[in-house]
Structures are given as C-alpha cells and as structure tokens.
Amino acid sequence: MVAGGRELIAAALATLGLILFLNLLPAERCETIPMVIDSAGSRPLAVGSESPSSFGPVSSSPYGDGEPMPPPPPRSDEHAAVSPRSSYRPAPKLMAVGIITAPTHFDRRLWIRQKLRVSDARRRGIRVLFVLGVRNRMTPAQRLAIRHEENAHGDVVFVGARDWVPHAVAEKSLAWWEHAAAHLPGYRWYMKTDDDSLAHLPRLEMDLALMSSMGRSHYYYGVMTWRAWTPFHTEADAACGERGDDGPSLDGPSARLERLMLDRRPGGACSRAVGPFPFADGSLQILSDDLMRAFVESPLARNFSRSHLSRQGPPYWTHEDAGVGYLIFHSAILQTLPLTYVVLSPWKHNKFWINWFPRHNPSLPDEHVVNTHKVVTSMMAQIAQDAYENSTYAADPFVCVDCAKTWGWRGGFETSVGRFPIERVACCNKRTDA
Ligand SMILES: *[C@@H]1O[C@H](CO)[C@@H](O)[C@H](O)[C@H]1NC(C)=O
Ligand SMILES: *[C@@H]1O[C@H](CO)[C@@H](O)[C@H](O)[C@H]1NC(C)=O
C-alpha cells in the first residue's frame, strides 16, 4: 500500500513536471528530417548502426541534425526529488502511435494511458497520441472537456477527417497517416490502433528491434488476410472477390488465395482488380517510416483521400484496413518498393477478444501475444494487463519464406496499373511453433 501510494504521488509529480515542461516546449517541428541511408542503397540501417539521433545514448538533438535542442525543462524541486538519479535526457524517436478514438471515450483514454504507461514509453521514444477528427460536432461541454484533457496530457491530435460520420474510424485512420507524415517527422516506426485495443508496448519494441535486425526496408507489420481491390473505383470500398479470414501463413497456401488468383485472370470476375495482396487488420498496423511516407505522400493516396474523405453521401469508405493494404500494394507497383510483409498469426499473437473461459484454454494474453482487441471496459483492460504481466514475452522470431512456395502467392502480379515487383518483396511470418 505504502509503495503504491508513493508511486501515485511520484506519478502525479512527474505529470506536473511534464506539464510545466511541455508548456515551454516549442510546437512539434514540421521539417522533414533526412533519413539514414546506408551506402548499399536505399535501406535504412539496422539497429545499432543508427545515428545517435534515432537511438540512445541521446546527447544530440531528437529534433534532427542542425535543430537546436529545446530548452531544458524547469527543474522544479519536486521533479528533482522524484528522480534524484536521473538527469534530463531528451527522448529518442522510436515510434509514433496513433490511437483512433472518439470525443466521448474519456474512460478508454484514461485506462489506455495507465496500462500503456505512456510517460515511461515516452522516455523510451514512443509517443502515444489519441486521434480525433478536426471536423467534428462536439458540444461546447465536450469541447471544453477535451481541452482540459489536452492541457493535462498533451496527447490529443486533431486530424483532417470528420468525426461524426458512422465510418469516422476509416477516415481518421487515413488522416492519421497523413498527419504523421506531415507533422511527426523523424520516427523510425509509425503505428495505428483503435481505442478498443490494448497492445503491450515493450513487446512491440522487441519486435521492432527484431525487424530492424533483418536489415531490410519498407516494413508492414500486423495480422494479415488476403484481398483483391479495384483501383480508381467510384466506390471507395472496392474489394473484389472473396473475403475471409485466411492470410499468409507458414501452414501453406489457402484455398481462398487460389480462388482470388483465378478471379484475377483475364475474363475473371476481378480481372480489373489488383492483388491478391495481404493487408494488416486495423486493430494493429505498424509501418516503417520509409513505407509510411512512400504510400501516404504518393499522388495515388492523396487522390484517394481527396476523392473519398469528403464524400457527402454513401457509399462511404468503411473498409479502412484493406484500403490501406491496397494503397500500399498499388504504391509498391508504381514505385517498385521492396516491401517487407511481417505477418502475425491471428489468435496466437493478437487476441481478437478476451475471455477467461473455458478455464483450461482461456482467450487471454499469454507469452506470445502483442495486442488484444475488444477491450471495452476498465475491468477487461485490467485483466488483459495482468495477463501480459503474468507471462514473459516469448518474442517468437520472424522467418522469411518463399512467397510462392509457402504462402502460395504465385500470381496476380501483372495488373492494369503495372507490375507488382514480387522479386523485391520479402514474405515473413512471426513463427507460431516456438
Ligand atoms: C482519383 O480518384 C478517383 C476516384 O477513385 C478516380 O476516379 C480518378 O481517376 C483518380 N484520379 C487520378 C488522377 O488518379
Ligand atoms: C498468472 O498465471 C498463472 C499460471 O498460468 C495463473 O494460474 C494465474 O491465474 C495468472 N494470473 C493472472 C492475474 O492472470
């Protein structure tokens, strides 16, 4: 009890210090920071060989080369008393996390800040931000409440999307990537999740380090399933052919993928579509900086956004995650991107809901899980958090396989908008048998 009380007081004082500190910080810089390029070509360097601006020991400015360091925070006595041993170190920029939320979801943001330990995470270079639409219909009371929340935590961003439409989640998700590209430069990784999910950040950080050590670029990480999609369709939800839950797996090709490839042949039901391609489930998407920029800053994505994010009537764009997977795939065609698909296994690495029954096989986070979905009460958040902390992360390794042989991804590469550069692509899974 005593220790808990001390921790609470310490947290409160730390928050106070942070608020004072944030008020003195200049607004987030918007300049683009040059990427670390190695001599072999366009690949970012692996962890350990990074310039000190991305990874500690952080003596140089986190705002990029040539940028002055922000003024040191005011060293209030309280702050010094809380952490006598730590001297001020600016955070490195490892990952920016956008959590799509709604104006009224105060309670979810409250437990997410607690469970993700966002202040600790920030010291490790992870910036957690809650994403709302700038075009909203908040009441004056809601607006005031959000302003208080924003003043207290400094972690709410308003992106260029509508917040009152039924499909606001889709619009805010694409607008989050646009916001990140324009206003949050310099992170190595960018993530999108929703406020009904609870990830475990230290576990994700281990996966980021594992990915960096692969020495590739253009990483796309998440639980994935197959889709085909018709480009430039008048309808925003332009998926073509079968939809289902099977994705790229070490267990071999799925029958659905075979059928999608057949549909894509000349004369087939989806001959005008592109794909099939894997796309990451919207509950957890992580992109490396280079891929995030390549897709979101492309004329293709800009046009998609312009055409669909302000539609006045249906059909609206609701199929957010497949749409992003499509834009990434189409961008790879146009820019010959060396994509690195890193595929988690559904249920093994991402629980789509939690349940403590049946007793012998509960659906709770265990040593393999990095994300839990459908966490919608504080009690579920506590149970998920306890379960994470009750197990030591197994950090199942990634294994890259032959796209054709293991995944069965053998066709559909010739499309009406160009050829998908499959020979440059890495097909990787997080192992399930470890
Ligand atoms: C932009 O997108 C719309 C809707 O998908 C499409 O009709 C149009 O051809 C696209 N324009 C360009 C220049 O790609
Ligand atoms: C922690 O794990 C043990 C052993 O698997 C289990 O019996 C216990 O219920 C778990 N506790 C929580 C809080 O998840």
Side-chain angles (χ1 to χ4, degrees):
M1 263 336 269
V2 173
R6 271 212 204 113
E7 254 176 46
L8 264 183
I9 293 168
L13 291 176
T15 310
L16 186 68
L18 188 65
I19 292 166
L20 289 172
F21 166 61
L22 284 174
N23 283 339
L24 290 186
L25 264 186
E28 193 101 35
R29 309 297 169 88
C30 296
E31 294 92 295
T32 309
I33 292 174
M35 258 193 51
V36 182
I37 307 279
D38 73 9
S39 51
S42 59
R43 290 174 179 177
L45 298 182
V47 165
S49 52
E50 293 272 356
S51 84
S53 66
S54 319
F55 285 88
V58 200
S59 52
S60 67
S61 165
Y63 295 96
D65 294 337
E67 288 282 357
M69 291 236 304
R75 296 304 305 266
S76 68
D77 289 336
E78 295 93 329
H79 191 268
V82 169
S83 48
R85 280 161 299 150
S86 75
S87 57
Y88 169 67
R89 305 187 341 158
K93 288 189 163 187
L94 181 59
M95 179 159 73
V97 177
I99 303 181
I100 312 301
T101 185
T104 52
H105 290 178
F106 298 105
D107 53 341
R108 295 190 186 184
R109 292 191 287 276
L110 192 73
W111 73 63
I112 288 172
R113 286 189 191 100
Q114 268 179 10
K115 305 301 179 218
L116 294 189
R117 302 206 170 89
V118 294
S119 306
D120 280 349
R122 193 161 184 193
R123 282 190 282 277
R124 302 192 307 271
I126 303 204
R127 187 84 167 93
V128 175
L129 295 164
F130 291 97
V131 178
L132 291 170
V134 72
R135 293 184 281 157
N136 54 62
R137 293 185 178 169
M138 284 192 266
T139 63
Q142 284 172 345
R143 210 174 291 278
L144 187 66
I146 292 276
R147 191 167 312 140
H148 282 306
E149 198 179 340
E150 167 64 2
N151 285 342
H153 301 283
D155 62 0
V156 180
V157 293
F158 288 87
V159 300
R162 293 175 285 191
D163 220 333
W164 73 89
V165 289
H167 60 288
V169 170
E171 294 198 356
K172 282 186 286 184
S173 299
L174 183 55
W176 153 250
W177 298 118
E178 292 171 341
H179 176 89
H183 301 295
L184 299 166
Y187 288 89
R188 172 91 172 86
W189 303 93
Y190 293 85
M191 169 169 152
K192 182 253 138 181
T193 182
D194 301 317
D195 68 2
D196 61 350
S197 281
L198 194 66
H200 194 272
L201 295 178
R203 295 182 176 198
L204 288 176
E205 288 164 63
M206 290 184 69
D207 280 4
L208 300 183
L210 281 177
M211 278 194 281
S212 287
S213 70
M214 290 161 69
R216 284 190 52 95
S217 66
H218 299 83
Y219 296 90
Y220 182 22
Y221 168 102
V223 175
M224 302 203 186
T225 47
W226 296 102
R227 273 302 180 284
W229 190 279
T230 309
F232 307 124
H233 203 283
T234 47
E235 292 199 18
D237 285 336
C240 186
E242 283 185 52
R243 305 169 180 212
D245 288 341
D246 29 331
S249 152
L250 295 173
D251 300 335
S254 73
R256 180 168 288 111
L257 173 63
E258 298 287 339
R259 291 192 291 270
L260 278 171
M261 287 187 303
L262 286 178
D263 283 346
R264 280 274 292 104
R265 293 189 311 186
C270 301
S271 56
R272 288 182 48 245
V274 301
F277 54 81
F279 74 92
D281 184 83
S283 63
L284 174 67
Q285 302 162 327
I286 297 180
L287 308 184
S288 54
D289 170 69
D290 47 7
L291 177 58
M292 194 273 288
R293 279 173 201 289
F295 113 79
V296 88
E297 291 175 347
S298 67
L300 177 78
R302 289 201 194 284
N303 180 50
F304 185 95
S305 173
R306 223 179 7 252
S307 309
H308 299 303
L309 258 55
S310 51
R311 288 180 94 107
Q312 293 304 312
Y316 294 119
W317 180 43
T318 58
H319 205 4
E320 171 251 322
D321 41 14
V324 167
Y326 149 70
L327 289 171
I328 286 173
F329 184 78
H330 194 161
S331 299
I333 291 175
L334 299 176
Q335 303 175 47
T336 337
L337 300 178
L339 294 182
T340 306
Y341 287 99
V342 180
V343 181
L344 307 187
S345 177
W347 296 109
K348 178 89 173 180
H349 301 124
N350 187 350
K351 297 287 184 197
F352 288 103
W353 57 82
I354 64 175
N355 194 342
W356 36 104
F357 295 106
R359 283 249 180 255
H360 62 275
N361 186 23
S363 173
L364 287 173
D366 61 19
E367 67 270 30
H368 303 284
V369 175
V370 297
N371 189 48
T372 308
H373 189 223
K374 290 217 174 104
V375 175
V376 293
T377 65
S378 62
M379 191 179 82
M380 291 168 90
Q382 187 62 49
I383 287 168
Q385 181 67 11
D386 286 348
Y388 280 128
E389 312 237 305
N390 197 20
S391 53
T392 303
Y393 186 43
D396 295 328
F398 299 125
V399 42
C400 298
V401 296
D402 185 313
C403 301
K405 266 201 215 129
T406 306
W407 286 8
W409 199 11
R410 294 179 281 95
F413 306 130
E414 298 294 342
T415 78
S416 56
V417 295
R419 187 179 163 278
F420 180 67
I422 183 68
E423 64 286 342
R424 305 198 68 194
V425 170
C427 294
C428 312
N429 295 85
K430 197 167 174 56
R431 268 172 54 185
T432 51
D433 57 351

